[in-house]
Amino acid sequence: MTEAAVLSIRNASKTFGQRRALDGVSLDVRKGEMIALIGPSGSGKSTLLRSISALQTIDAGGTITAFGAPVQENGRVAAGVRKVRTRIGMIFQQFNLVGRLTLFANVALGSLGRIGALQGLLGLWPEETKQSAMAALHRFGLAEYAAQRANTLSGGQQQRGAIARALVQKAKIILADEPVASLDPVSARRVMEILRELNDNDGLTVIVTLHQVDYALRYCDRVVALKSGKVVYDGPPSGLDRPRLVEIYGPEFEDVFWEGAPQ
């Protein structure tokens, strides 16, 4: 792990039956970077994010380290991973809010790594959690919906709530897995702007998987492209011209190339 890296991945592979979803991926992520993971469907983007967050194991021979502590090694999740995971916030495509709970309660759940489980189950939130949750909701324009059940909110509102939960968690790394895939264009831009703001103003490290290549180029400083489980590009958005993108996605990418894309 390099001195400036908060996350280090070495020779990470993941095999499902006969299919290798990740194939020897190695990456260093520096503090305060905002990185887009792009690539065709099935290229390994979500598998990589789930491996970083220890939601699944990688094959033996690879390692993942965060904040200098092991996350995965020797084909298994490290024994002390729970403490590391409290500093890694995960944002999912389908929001992963508890629909029957209020938005406030969902956001307050971000503090569970610091308070007792029973305290959280009973909703006996410490004053610090209450203040932190309301501050996050206010910041993202959601304070007026605090008492509303999560499943009555729009997709964009729920996703902003999920990001607010990561703030209450006090995460230093945010992993966002296709966070705008199910949102309308206006809500999608708002979510990407929030992630960029957290990176710029709060210094959070953000890794986001995206199908929308134009969002990757617009909002992220570094782009990592995966294809068939391997890293095929790692560099600035300026290096992703039309020929390189066609190489990554295949010739059919020409048919869906967005207006105003780099030539």
Side-chain angles (χ1 to χ4, degrees):
M1 186 166 180
T2 63
E3 185 177 346
V6 293
L7 175 66
S8 185
I9 303 163
R10 287 290 176 272
N11 195 36
S13 296
K14 179 62 180 179
T15 306
F16 296 102
Q18 299 299 312
R19 184 177 72 88
R20 178 158 282 195
L22 293 177
D23 191 357
V25 171
S26 293
L27 289 172
D28 278 326
V29 177
R30 296 180 296 277
K31 180 181 178 181
E33 285 196 286
M34 182 155 178
I35 299 174
L37 289 179
I38 67 168
S41 295
S43 61
K45 303 184 300 294
S46 293
T47 301
L48 181 57
L49 238 57
R50 291 177 63 83
S51 300
I52 294 169
S53 61
L55 292 176
Q56 66 180 26
T57 58
I58 56 174
D59 298 343
T63 62
I64 299 177
T65 305
F67 310 107
V71 174
Q72 298 206 40
E73 54 188 355
N74 300 320
R76 63 187 63 182
V77 173
V81 74
R82 188 171 182 270
K83 184 176 181 181
V84 179
R85 286 176 67 175
T86 61
R87 304 175 70 186
I88 301 176
M90 188 80 183
I91 310 297
F92 299 88
Q93 179 179 338
Q94 296 301 330
F95 324 128
N96 273 33
L97 300 184
V98 182
R100 62 183 174 79
L101 295 182
T102 64
L103 180 60
F104 171 84
N106 272 280
V107 173
L109 286 171
S111 67
L112 283 183
R114 302 189 306 277
I115 67 174
L118 181 61
Q119 198 175 357
L121 287 172
L122 296 176
L124 302 174
W125 308 112
E127 190 61 31
E128 188 272 338
T129 294
K130 294 178 183 178
Q131 292 181 6
S132 180
M134 286 308 302
L137 288 170
H138 179 76
R139 179 174 179 178
F140 299 145
L142 295 169
E144 64 184 290
Y145 306 105
Q148 198 164 319
R149 283 170 58 121
N151 58 11
T152 66
L153 300 171
S154 71
Q157 290 167 335
Q158 290 188 61
Q159 195 61 290
R160 281 183 279 154
I163 298 173
R165 181 178 57 195
L167 271 192
V168 173
Q169 182 184 333
K170 298 185 178 179
K172 298 302 180 185
I173 296 175
I174 289 184
L175 307 176
D177 190 14
E178 298 289 352
V180 300
S182 59
L183 303 182
D184 65 82
V186 173
S187 297
R189 285 196 298 272
R190 177 66 179 131
V191 166
M192 290 304 301
E193 287 166 358
I194 286 173
L195 292 175
R196 182 76 237 194
E197 176 193 330
L198 292 175
N199 176 253
D200 285 338
N201 297 342
D202 297 58
L204 300 188
T205 303
V206 178
I207 306 175
V208 53
T209 68
L210 292 166
H211 279 304
Q212 300 89 338
V213 178
D214 53 333
Y215 285 177
L217 303 188
R218 185 184 310 164
Y219 293 104
C220 299
D221 302 316
R222 177 182 172 192
V223 179
V224 175
L226 296 176
K227 186 175 183 180
S228 300
K230 292 179 178 289
V231 175
V232 294
Y233 178 83
D234 183 357
S238 58
L240 286 171
D241 55 11
R242 183 187 294 253
R244 179 61 66 89
L245 287 167
V246 170
E247 180 183 326
I248 294 167
Y249 286 93
E252 62 273 14
F253 187 76
E254 291 276 14
D255 299 331
V256 294
F257 212 75
W258 67 93
E259 183 180 356
Q263 304 297 313

